[in-house]
């Protein structure tokens, strides 16, 4: 069994009944938050307790936070594997597919190293989900498995492994308002929850589009496969900016200093992913897909040619933080903690990532989110 297969092995997947859910902020239903991954192998879990010197238990709240993070990483690993099979580098670190030269070439229009970046991002998510589940086991807490929900058919294009999936990359509706949110110097969703940030690619927010070739028929004409690669190019940062906010938001609820350390150590890697992918998305060539009318605008030309759309502004612009009476500060946003986990679930659902999933899947995911949102820092 290779490395990827072992990390996708089935495992126990139950969780304790969640404490009461918290009220949710309306803005959390609109923001782009996300991240997810699958389950570590049985051998890794079996030796987990030996990997950590301290076997003392963690609080129920801390376990709930880490379980939700593990579930998010499981889902994230699932779709990154799909991208890597078709457009990344297949090797002993991340195996499973055989690559699709035409799709890979279209991705490389955004950057010549896209296949390497996709590979490395995929491996990162594997390590996150494996570590989080192993740590939970080492503390006597229940790990997370979504293996029973691996029922969705994926791409049948050349390069795909043809395995069943957890996530659907072929009917995406992308909220690209993170683009202007991180360029705004006046608004912060934590302080302006009712403000609507403009979409970078309005068409992606108003339809359902595939980010991978569904079959070999999608490999032509050239503008069609480039539009698919462009969609992937915007999906990458849309997802990663979610983890960018998720981890610091959850960290504010952690009781254990060690759990806090885990959350604030994994979170910055999501930020590194986000900045990389936001830079590459800016290289997506303007075009209109002749098969469906999907248009990618030139963000550096009128009417988009303002600071809020400028493609080389990949570092967060300073904005109000904590209070409008304090000086502006360059920060991750949002980092409001109330309802963060259910906000993530709603965002990923609205994206179309779970089209085709069962009611049991949504029930399980909502249970994990409610437990995480009910976590309180204990003194």
């Amino acid at each position: 069994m290779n490395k990827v297969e072992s990390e996708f092995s089935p495992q126990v997947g139950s969780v304790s009944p969640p404490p009461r859910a918290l009220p949710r902020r309306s803005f959390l239903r609109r923001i782009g938050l996300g991240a997810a991954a699958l389950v570590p192998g049985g051998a890794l879990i079996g030796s987990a307790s030996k990997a950590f010197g301290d076997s003392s238990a963690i609080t129920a709240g801390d376990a709930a936070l880490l379980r939700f993070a593990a579930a998010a990483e499981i889902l994230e690993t699932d779709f990154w594997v799909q991208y890597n099979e078709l457009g990344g580098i297949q090797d002993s670190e991340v195996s499973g597919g055989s690559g699709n030269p035409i799709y890979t070439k279209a991705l490389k229009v955004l950057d010549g190293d896209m296949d390497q970046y996709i590979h490395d991002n995929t491996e990162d998510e594997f390590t996150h989900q494996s570590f989080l589940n192993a740590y939970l086991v080492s503390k006597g807490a229940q790990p997370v498995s979504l293996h029973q929900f691996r029922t969705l058919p994926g791409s049948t294009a050349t390069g795909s492994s043809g395995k069943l999936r957890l996530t659907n990359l072929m009917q995406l509706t992308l909220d690209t308002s993170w683009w202007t949110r991180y360029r705004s110097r006046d608004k912060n969703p934590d302080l302006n929850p009712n403000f609507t940030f403009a979409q970078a690619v309005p068409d992606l927010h108003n339809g359902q589009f595939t980010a991978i070739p569904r079959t070999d028929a999608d490999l032509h004409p050239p503008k069609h496969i480039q539009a698919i690669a462009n969609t992937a190019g915007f999906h990458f940062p849309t997802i990663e900016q979610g983890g960018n906010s998720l981890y610091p938001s959850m960290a504010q609820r952690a009781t254990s200093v060690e759990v806090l350390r885990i959350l604030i150590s994994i979170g910055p890697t999501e930020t590194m992913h986000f900045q990389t992918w936001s830079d590459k998305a800016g290289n997506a060539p303007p075009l209109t897909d002749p098969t469906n009318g999907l248009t990618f605008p030139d963000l550096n030309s009128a009417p988009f040619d303002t600071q809020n759309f400028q493609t080389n502004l990949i570092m967060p612009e300073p904005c109000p933080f904590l209070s409008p009476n304090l000086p502006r500060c360059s920060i991750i946003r949002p980092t409001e903690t109330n309802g963060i986990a259910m906000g993530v679930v709603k965002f990923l659902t609205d994206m179309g990532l779970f089209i085709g999933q069962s009611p049991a899947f949504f029930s399980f995911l909502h249970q994990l989110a409610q437990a995480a949102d009910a976590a309180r820092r204990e003194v």
Side-chain angles (χ1 to χ4, degrees):
M1 183 176 290
N2 65 33
K3 177 180 178 182
V4 173
E5 290 172 338
S6 69
E7 288 176 329
F8 276 79
S9 299
Q11 223 170 294
V12 179
S14 62
V15 295
S16 302
R20 62 179 180 82
L22 296 176
R24 302 168 215 161
R25 297 279 296 271
S26 61
F27 78 90
L28 285 169
R29 300 173 184 169
R30 297 195 302 270
I31 61 176
L33 296 173
L38 195 68
V39 199
L44 183 150
I45 289 297
S47 62
S49 60
K50 297 179 182 179
F52 300 93
D54 182 6
S55 61
S56 60
I58 56 176
T59 67
D62 280 358
L65 293 173
L66 295 183
R67 275 197 291 266
F68 183 76
E73 297 289 353
I74 287 169
L75 293 168
E76 193 171 13
T77 299
D78 180 79
F79 64 70
W80 275 112
V81 165
Q82 295 179 62
Y83 282 127
N84 194 73
E85 288 182 1
L86 294 165
I89 294 173
Q90 293 77 42
D91 57 18
S92 60
E93 294 176 342
V94 183
S95 59
S98 57
N100 187 294
I102 296 176
Y103 180 57
T104 302
K105 181 178 179 181
L107 288 168
K108 283 177 171 286
V109 170
L110 280 65
D111 190 283
D113 290 321
M114 287 290 276
D115 54 349
Q116 184 68 58
Y117 296 156
I118 289 170
H119 168 280
D120 291 351
N121 204 142
T122 306
E123 185 183 25
D124 286 355
E125 308 309 344
F126 267 126
T127 68
H128 292 168
Q129 61 91 14
S130 297
F131 179 88
L132 288 167
N133 262 339
Y135 182 84
L136 283 164
V137 170
S138 78
K139 297 298 182 180
Q142 185 70 40
V144 177
S145 170
L146 301 180
H147 185 76
Q148 65 270 36
F149 304 117
R150 185 168 294 282
T151 60
L152 302 182
S155 170
T156 59
T158 298
S160 172
S161 68
K163 294 178 181 177
L164 293 176
R165 315 293 185 177
L166 289 166
T167 57
N168 184 344
L169 294 178
M170 299 181 284
Q171 294 173 270
L172 296 180
T173 300
L174 299 185
D175 182 348
T176 59
S177 63
W178 54 266
W179 183 279
T180 53
R181 185 194 336 138
Y182 269 94
R183 287 162 172 76
S184 174
R185 301 178 69 92
D186 301 317
K187 305 294 182 182
N188 179 340
D190 286 332
L191 298 178
N192 311 104
N194 297 316
F195 182 79
T196 300
F197 293 90
Q199 299 287 328
V201 185
D203 280 5
L204 286 177
H205 194 237
N206 296 319
Q208 292 183 342
F209 302 97
T210 186
I212 54 175
R214 296 161 292 191
T215 68
D216 283 347
D218 275 334
L219 301 177
H220 306 283
K223 283 190 175 181
H224 177 55
I225 189 60
Q226 189 61 58
I228 291 174
N230 284 7
T231 300
F234 273 92
H235 185 225
F236 298 167
T238 299
I239 283 293
E240 296 299 329
Q241 61 84 33
N244 193 42
S245 286
L246 175 63
Y247 279 93
S249 295
M250 292 201 304
Q252 297 171 66
R253 292 176 176 268
T255 297
S256 162
V257 172
E258 190 168 69
V259 171
L260 174 63
R261 181 180 179 183
I262 291 170
L263 294 172
I264 64 175
S265 295
I266 292 178
T269 68
E270 302 289 346
T271 303
M272 294 171 73
H273 296 161
F274 170 51
Q275 187 172 46
T276 297
W277 294 126
S278 62
D279 183 36
K280 306 317 168 192
N283 296 332
L287 58 81
T288 297
D289 187 331
T291 71
N292 56 27
L294 170 60
T295 296
F296 289 86
D298 183 347
L299 295 171
N300 293 314
S301 298
F304 295 94
D305 57 342
T306 67
Q307 177 176 287
N308 283 345
F309 293 96
Q310 190 174 327
T311 57
N312 64 354
L313 294 180
I314 64 169
M315 300 181 188
E317 292 297 313
C319 71
F321 180 46
L322 298 182
S323 167
N325 298 322
L326 293 170
R328 293 174 181 172
C329 184
S330 179
I331 54 164
I332 300 302
R333 64 259 204 179
T335 53
E336 169 62 54
T337 186
N338 288 340
I340 185 68
M342 283 302 299
V344 167
V345 172
K346 186 177 189 306
F347 175 72
L348 296 177
T349 302
D350 291 347
M351 181 185 293
L353 204 62
F354 305 140
I355 291 176
Q357 271 292 359
S358 66
F361 169 84
F362 289 104
S363 177
F364 183 72
L365 203 58
H366 282 212
Q367 183 183 9
L368 289 171
Q370 289 170 354
D373 281 340
R376 290 289 188 275
R377 184 174 184 180
E378 300 178 16
V379 179

